Amino acid sequence: MTDRLVVGVSGSSAPQYGIALLEALRKLGAVETHLIVSAGARRTIELEARRDPDEVCALADVVHDARDLAAAVASGSFPTLGMAVVPCSMKTLAAIAHGYTDDLLSRAADVTLKERRRLVLVTRETPLGLIHLRNMTAVTEAGATVLPPVPGFYTRPRTIDDLIAHTVGKVLDQFGIAHDLFRRWTGPETEHA
C-alpha cells in the first residue's frame, strides 16, 4: 500500500504555504496526496498567490470536494499517515477544536484525531486572541501539532521562498518525510580568515 497524506488548504491568508507543500510532495514522490481545498482557500489562492485554484489542485494525486462528506478521507477505515492543514484559518481551527465537522476538511481532521494519526495545523493569524490560544490548546490536548509559520533565520534565508520552504520542511519533518528544503542546524559555523 502507498502511504497517503491528506492536505487541507483553508481560507486563511498565505495559501503559498499549502501550494509549496503540494509542490514539495509532488517532487519528492514519497506519498500519495489527498487534497481538500475550502471555498475560502480557492479565493485566497486567486487573490494572494495569483494562481488558478484548479492548477493548484492538479498538484495533488487525488482531490476531494470540500462538501463531500462521503469521500474516502472522511472515514477512519481509509489509512493515511495523517493530515496537514496548510494554512489553517482560525475558523478551521475552531471547527477542529470543537468537533464541528460541517465540511470535509474539518471532518478529515476530526477523523485524523480520533484515529490517533498525526494532525499538523499551520495556523496563520496575528496577533492571537484568547479564543485562538484556547482553541490551539484544545487541539494540542487532542493530539494535534500547532505549527505556525515562524521563520528560522539560522537557515540564512535570502528569499520569501526560502522562508516558506523552512515551514514546509518543518511540516514534512512531522510526518518523517525526508527532504532537503532547508539547511539543518549543526552548530555554529567556524569561519576561517
Side-chain angles (χ1 to χ4, degrees), residues 2-3 10 17 63 92 123 148 154 165 176-177:
T2 301
D3 284 331
S10 74
Y17 288 105
V63 179
T92 300
T123 52
Y154 62 90
I177 298 172

Side-chain angles (χ1 to χ4, degrees), residues 39-56:
R42 292 184 73 82
R43 188 68 176 132
T44 59
I45 288 168
E46 292 172 343
L47 293 173
E48 294 186 15
R50 299 193 183 279
R51 303 260 308 255
D52 180 336
D54 292 331
E55 172 191 309
V56 171

Side-chain angles (χ1 to χ4, degrees), residues 41-94:
R42 292 184 73 82
R43 188 68 176 132
T44 59
I45 288 168
E46 292 172 343
L47 293 173
E48 294 186 15
R50 299 193 183 279
R51 303 260 308 255
D52 180 336
D54 292 331
E55 172 191 309
V56 171
C57 289
L59 294 169
D61 295 304
V62 180
V63 179
H64 300 281
D65 186 316
R67 299 164 297 184
D68 183 9
L69 291 173
V73 296
S75 173
S77 67
F78 186 75
T80 68
L81 293 173
M83 180 176 185
V85 182
V86 186
C88 181
S89 68
M90 294 300 103
K91 176 183 176 183
T92 300
L93 172 67

Side-chain angles (χ1 to χ4, degrees), residues 61-192:
D61 295 304
V62 180
V63 179
H64 300 281
D65 186 316
R67 299 164 297 184
D68 183 9
L69 291 173
V73 296
S75 173
S77 67
F78 186 75
T80 68
L81 293 173
M83 180 176 185
V85 182
V86 186
C88 181
S89 68
M90 294 300 103
K91 176 183 176 183
T92 300
L93 172 67
I96 296 167
H98 299 281
Y100 185 68
T101 60
D102 71 335
D103 64 9
L104 183 59
L105 201 158
S106 57
R107 171 61 187 165
D110 190 60
V111 165
T112 301
L113 288 174
K114 81 176 185 69
E115 295 296 327
R116 307 294 192 262
R117 297 175 185 151
R118 291 192 181 278
L119 175 62
V120 177
L121 306 176
V122 179
T123 52
R124 234 300 303 140
E125 184 64 83
T126 192
L128 296 169
L130 182 58
I131 292 169
H132 305 143
L133 294 168
R134 286 185 174 153
N135 285 339
M136 288 179 186
T137 299
V139 295
T140 301
E141 290 172 343
T145 298
V146 176
L147 196 155
V150 177
F153 288 95
Y154 62 90
T155 63
R156 296 190 178 163
R158 294 183 179 174
T159 67
I160 291 173
D161 287 341
D162 290 344
L163 295 171
I164 292 170
H166 179 259
T167 295
V168 169
K170 291 296 215 174
V171 171
L172 294 176
D173 285 351
Q174 292 297 306
F175 296 98
I177 298 172
H179 65 86
D180 61 357
L181 293 174
F182 62 84
R183 184 176 64 85
R184 295 189 184 275
W185 179 253
T186 57
E189 294 178 356
T190 305
E191 295 190 29
H192 300 285

